[in-house]
Amino acid sequence: EVQLVESGGGLVQPGGSLRLSCAASGLRFSGYGLNWVRQAPGKGLEWVSYISSTSTTLHYADFVKDRFIISRDNGKKVLYLQMNSLRAEDSAIYYCARAARFLEWTFDFWGPGTQVFVSS
Amino acid sequence: QSVVTQSPSVSGTPGQGVAISCSGSGSNIGSNTVNWYQMLPGTAPKLLIYGDNQRPSGVPDRFSGSRSGTSASLAISGLQSEDEADYYCTVWDDGLNGVVFGGGTKLTVL
């Protein structure tokens, strides 16, 4: 059974940093692209970033470029999101989502999410 | 404001059918396939439709999708109370070089 479990969320002050992790099990981790998607309180889903299976291709939403860095460790089966210069509007539940095989922009498995609060 | 728009809400009674629309432009829906996700209250999103009209294993055939021009649609027939959820369309945008989500449509089963 495919499982994705996010961690690392919490309360951080504006301007601060946080690193999210997504631990995977039940899948050949190195064979899939991965994404981060977020949902702010009372708002809709918002795609954040994508990393290909070998980390050679990265994509970011404009609102996180130059602030967030996506990375992965295929040996440990973990996806990361380093979030810097955090703003109040970055407060959200952050989900990791697997890209379907050969359908990179189709997210077929999701984790339960981890909550990030940015507040002073 | 998302570059892909959905009506904020739709409602229907049990047994009825409803349609949820998703409107975009040539750089997204006009060029790429659309996926739909269902988000039940308090849970993570679930893939409902991919590649415009394909259902993953386990998704009832009451759910169907279509795409024409720069619009896409999710149809739900035989509404059930457990269908009450938020529904999102998503698509790759060639101009933004990223995935865009519609704003979401809240389905209420009366």
Side-chain angles (χ1 to χ4, degrees):
Chain A
E1 181 194 2
V2 175
Q3 282 201 325
L4 300 170
V5 180
E6 303 89 342
S7 61
L11 175 64
V12 61
Q13 290 190 336
S17 297
L18 211 55
R19 188 176 83 157
L20 305 183
S21 300
C22 173
S25 60
L27 74 159
R28 190 171 69 86
F29 186 79
S30 61
Y32 293 90
L34 295 163
N35 296 266
W36 288 99
V37 177
R38 72 184 186 184
Q39 185 178 36
K43 303 288 187 181
L45 294 170
E46 200 171 41
W47 173 79
V48 174
S49 184
Y50 161 83
I51 185 168
S52 63
S53 59
T54 56
S55 304
T56 51
T57 301
L58 308 178
H59 291 295
Y60 295 94
D62 284 345
F63 55 81
V64 301
K65 275 180 184 171
D66 301 325
R67 297 191 302 127
F68 290 9
I69 300 171
I70 191 171
S71 63
R72 63 190 294 164
D73 185 327
N74 284 349
K76 294 181 179 178
K77 295 187 178 182
V78 181
L79 169 71
Y80 300 102
L81 185 67
Q82 177 66 43
M83 304 189 295
N84 302 318
S85 303
L86 282 162
R87 307 165 181 166
E89 54 265 36
D90 294 319
S91 296
I93 298 174
Y94 284 74
Y95 299 97
C96 66
R98 186 182 83 167
R101 209 74 192 277
F102 308 122
L103 296 169
E104 291 301 303
W105 317 123
T106 297
F107 308 151
D108 60 353
F109 282 97
W110 297 66
T114 186
Q115 185 112 47
V116 172
F117 293 100
V118 183
S119 175
S120 53
Chain B
Q1 186 75 11
S2 177
V3 298
V4 171
T5 59
Q6 299 179 234
S7 50
S9 63
V10 67
S11 62
T13 56
Q16 266 190 334
V18 296
I20 297 172
S21 63
C22 179
S23 179
S25 66
S27 64
N28 44 65
I29 296 178
S31 309
N32 301 293
T33 59
V34 174
N35 304 315
W36 291 89
Y37 298 87
Q38 177 192 59
M39 200 166 181
L40 297 169
T43 69
K46 170 190 170 185
L47 180 64
L48 201 62
I49 297 287
Y50 67 95
D52 295 333
N53 53 22
Q54 303 299 302
R55 282 186 307 277
S57 174
V59 173
D61 59 7
R62 300 187 296 105
F63 295 90
S64 63
S66 62
R67 177 172 66 107
S68 178
T70 58
S71 295
S73 182
L74 172 70
I76 309 172
S77 62
L79 270 180
Q80 299 179 4
S81 58
E82 55 261 40
D83 297 333
E84 191 161 284
D86 293 326
Y87 292 85
Y88 293 88
C89 60
T90 78
V91 62
W92 176 263
D93 189 291
D94 294 330
L96 295 174
N97 216 31
V99 175
V100 291
F101 279 83
T105 298
K106 183 174 183 59
L107 169 62
T108 301
V109 181
L110 302 168

